[in-house]
Structure formats: structure tokens, C-alpha cells
Amino acid sequence: MSVVARHADWPHWRTSRFLLDLSRPLVMGIVNVTPDSFSDGGRHAGTAAALAHCEQLLAEGADILDVGGESTRPGSPAVPLEEELARVVPVVREAVRLGAPISVDTYKPEVMRAVLDAGADIINDIWALRQPGAAQTVAGHPRCGVCLMHMHRDPQTMQQLPMQGDAVAEVLSFLERSAQDLQALGVEKTRIVLDAGIGFGKTVAQNFALLARQAQLKSLDYPWLAGWSRKSSLGAVTGLPVDQRLGASVAAAVLAVDRGARIVRVHDVRDTAAALQVWQAMQREAPPAAAADQAPAAGPA
Ligand code: 8Y4
């Protein structure tokens, strides 16, 4: 009885095909679809490699796959629409058959429309649907999920002129407004997840302030996603290059989940999933609602 009531209280993420249970932390595995410049296999080889990566990440314990066709590393060039479509759509068409929710990292409404038609479950947008037509595209779908991320300025310029002042307050007000605007277009609240956008136009100190004060972000009553994997703030505090940031990335993922994130976006699925199992084993013995759950049922007054 109380189990049912309690279960119903857990947050869920409504997506195209899946109602995702957020009572345990979910691992979103990163799948980059970029042209394979080291082989002359062409387009088909790129699709096949991305699908093999999808299967590997699922075998390692990914709960969601995030497919992206444009590198969003600071300073990377934009990918033309036709090129992004040609990279991503064939992968999504196949990946949706793997049985797991498929997220697509894009900010272009045309790509959103094409991947939703191909069966994608979630739109993950670093622009938080600020590109013209993007919000209407998501709102035009009956139930796809969406992750709204905060970014200061744009990928080309964000590192030159990072945010000033209180990043937490700014991220909160931006995302609250974005989520409200989207609901005004008819998107149910349960379809929306928020993300502070670690590294996107923030200083190292601001990124860690967003982690330290993540509980404040939770004052907005949405599930939160955190993306720390291999990012430069981890390089800044460890001195390690991008290919040696596994330990730092796993630590950041666990800290983010312990501070309330429900989904972590990561490259290293196997190690992150193992670390989160350790976190869950602890959590099972110290549930946050322990006091309420264990209190004797109130008798008649
Ligand atoms: C090494 C590898 C160093 C990758 C940096 C990076 C987020 C995101 C990205 C995020 C959400 C990245 C698409 C940046 N980060 N989407 N996307 N949240 N929702 N850089 O934090 O991974 S791309």
C-alpha cells in the first residue's frame, strides 16, 4: 500500500516510447556520429561504427543512448544541416530497434523533426529550444522527452567570455523560464528534464559552484541531468588530459547524483554504472524518506 503510494511519487520522464522511472539514477551513454576520416568506408561505415558503439554501451549498462552528429566541444565548427541529417538519421532509424530510449543531441528543428519521425524518444538540446521553430517542433510531438540545457553565449564564443557573477541564480532563472515557455506551448511537465550545462560558457569555479549548490537547482521541481564526463573543468583540477579523466569523470557523476541529479551523460558507461551501483547500495540503507516511512502510522486523533 505505502509501496504503491511511494512509487507513484517517484519522478518519471515521459518520452516517445518509454516512461522512464527516475527512482534510480540513469546512465545516458554518449554516441558520437562523426565521419570516419581514417577509413574510406564512407557514410555506411560511419553508421555501422555508431551502431556498434550503441550496442557496446547498452551491454555496459547504458539506460539511454544520446546520439549526436555535431561535435559541441568549445570552438568546434557548426555542421551543415544536410550533413547532420545524413549522419544522424540512419543511426537513429537502426538504434530505435535496440530496445532502449534514444536521445538525439541537436538544436536544429529540421533534425529534430527527422529523428522524431524516425522514432527518437528524447531531444537533447544545448540551446534549450531557442533556435526558431525548435520549441514548436517538440511541442508538435505528442510525447517526446526533452532535455533543456543552459548555455551562456554560443559554442564558438562561450569560453572567451564566460558568465559573470552568480551562475546558479542565472541558470535557475533561465531554465525555469524555458520550461514554463515550453509548457505554455502544450508540453507536459513530465516530458521535461533540466541541465545546468557544465562547461558551456562557465568558469571552472562556476561549474563547481553548480555542483556544490545543485540542491538549489532542485528547488525547481524538475528532474536534473548532469554532464561532467571528461570535461575541461576536470582537467583543470587534476591536470589530466582528456583521455585520462575517467576517475575524475566517475567522481563527478557520483557527486552529481548524490546532490540530486537523476541522469548522468557519460562516455564511460561501464565504470559510471558500477560507481552508481555503489551509491545505490548506500542509498538503500539510508533512504531520504526514511523518517517518514518508518514513522508509526498515525492513529485516529
Ligand atoms: C571531452 C569530450 C571534453 C566531450 C569535452 C566534451 C552536454 C550535452 C554536451 C551536457 C547535455 C562535451 C551535447 C560537450 N555536453 N548535453 N552535450 N548536457 N544535456 N564536451 O552537459 O561533451 S557536448
Side-chain angles (χ1 to χ4, degrees):
M1 163 196 77
S2 75
V3 172
V4 172
R6 213 167 353 128
H7 188 77
D9 283 344
W10 288 117
H12 286 76
W13 191 5
R14 161 50 69 193
T15 73
S16 301
R17 298 175 297 163
F18 301 90
L19 186 60
L20 301 177
D21 175 359
L22 301 176
S23 63
R24 67 173 178 88
L26 300 186
V27 176
M28 172 186 269
I30 300 169
V31 179
N32 286 314
V33 194
T34 42
D36 185 7
S37 50
F38 299 104
S39 103
D40 44 16
R43 191 70 71 197
H44 179 74
T47 303
L51 275 168
H53 195 205
C54 287
E55 288 179 345
Q56 185 199 327
L57 295 185
L58 290 176
E60 292 182 9
D63 300 293
I64 302 170
L65 298 173
D66 188 41
V67 177
E70 171 172 331
S71 169
T72 2
R73 287 196 196 188
S76 335
V79 172
L81 169 63
E82 294 307 325
E83 175 63 24
E84 191 180 339
L85 284 169
R87 286 182 193 175
V88 165
V89 176
V91 174
V92 171
R93 235 187 269 291
E94 301 286 330
V96 292
R97 298 183 198 160
L98 299 174
I102 304 300
S103 161
V104 179
D105 152 25
T106 188
Y107 54 82
K108 297 188 182 84
E110 298 89 346
V111 176
M112 293 177 186
R113 215 166 297 129
V115 298
L116 289 171
D117 286 348
D121 298 283
I122 294 161
I123 300 298
N124 173 32
D125 185 359
I126 64 165
W127 280 94
L129 306 179
R130 282 179 288 163
Q131 299 294 324
Q136 289 74 14
T137 300
V138 165
H141 189 281
R143 61 191 178 278
C144 71
V146 60
C147 178
L148 301 175
M149 196 198 79
H150 176 272
M151 171 169 56
H152 176 66
R153 300 176 65 90
D154 61 72
Q156 273 76 42
T157 62
M158 63 192 183
Q159 294 317 124
Q160 279 72 52
L161 291 158
M163 291 173 73
Q164 306 277 309
D166 186 349
V168 177
E170 153 87 29
V171 165
L172 266 178
S173 67
F174 170 80
L175 289 176
E176 179 167 40
R177 187 158 18 86
S178 303
Q180 280 169 356
D181 291 351
L182 191 56
Q183 287 171 83
L185 292 177
V187 173
E188 275 177 75
K189 183 170 183 175
T190 59
R191 293 170 60 184
I192 302 172
V193 161
L194 304 182
D195 182 342
I198 296 305
F200 284 83
K202 289 131 190 152
T203 64
V204 174
Q206 286 170 334
N207 289 319
F208 282 99
L210 286 163
L211 179 59
R213 293 162 62 196
Q214 213 177 248
Q216 247 171 290
L217 302 181
K218 282 181 37 183
S219 67
L220 291 190
D221 188 26
Y222 294 86
W224 287 77
L225 183 151
W228 279 86
S229 190
R230 300 183 187 173
K231 282 185 179 170
S232 60
S233 287
L234 302 177
V237 297
T238 60
L240 293 169
V242 65
D243 62 344
Q244 290 173 39
R245 294 179 191 158
L246 171 61
S249 298
V250 169
V254 172
L255 290 169
V257 164
D258 199 55
R259 299 262 167 152
R262 298 283 178 170
I263 305 125
V264 285
R265 180 180 179 275
V266 303
H267 300 85
D268 302 289
V269 167
R270 189 189 303 276
D271 292 287
T272 306
L276 292 178
Q277 280 172 328
V278 172
W279 179 85
Q280 285 176 84
M282 172 189 77
Q283 205 61 12
R284 276 193 289 275
E285 304 307 326
D293 282 356
Q294 288 164 12

